[in-house]
Amino acid sequence: TFKVVSNESSDIVRMLGSADFPGSNGVELYPEHLRSEIDSLNTLVYNKINNGVYKSGFATTQAAYDKAQK
């Protein structure tokens, strides 16, 4: 049985890309020639958007909130 155990979207895409599902048509979700670009974009999105939401939500001061919004 195959189970995806993660809540990180980039990890899930990598796991699904390496899984052999019955009837799959061989679509490559994480192609070798694009991995560097994909990883760079994922880092940017994580730091500026995904993690920024958490930092804002857990801010205990207005200054911390303002810093997280940048």
Side-chain angles (χ1 to χ4, degrees):
T1 302
F2 179 75
K3 293 182 183 180
V4 174
V5 182
S6 180
N7 67 349
E8 175 55 47
S9 59
S10 60
D11 290 341
I12 294 169
V13 168
R14 286 187 200 98
M15 286 183 234
L16 291 175
S18 65
D20 186 24
F21 293 106
S24 67
N25 61 2
V27 172
E28 177 59 57
L29 300 175
Y30 190 55
E32 183 73 39
H33 70 284
L34 294 175
R35 288 181 182 180
S36 178
E37 187 176 349
I38 291 168
D39 292 343
S40 294
L41 185 57
N42 280 342
T43 298
L44 176 73
V45 169
Y46 176 79
N47 289 327
K48 296 291 185 179
I49 300 172
N50 297 358
N51 203 33
V53 170
Y54 287 107
K55 288 179 182 178
S56 298
F58 290 112
T60 57
T61 66
Q62 185 63 46
Y65 178 85
D66 292 343
K67 183 178 177 182
Q69 294 298 306
K70 293 183 181 187

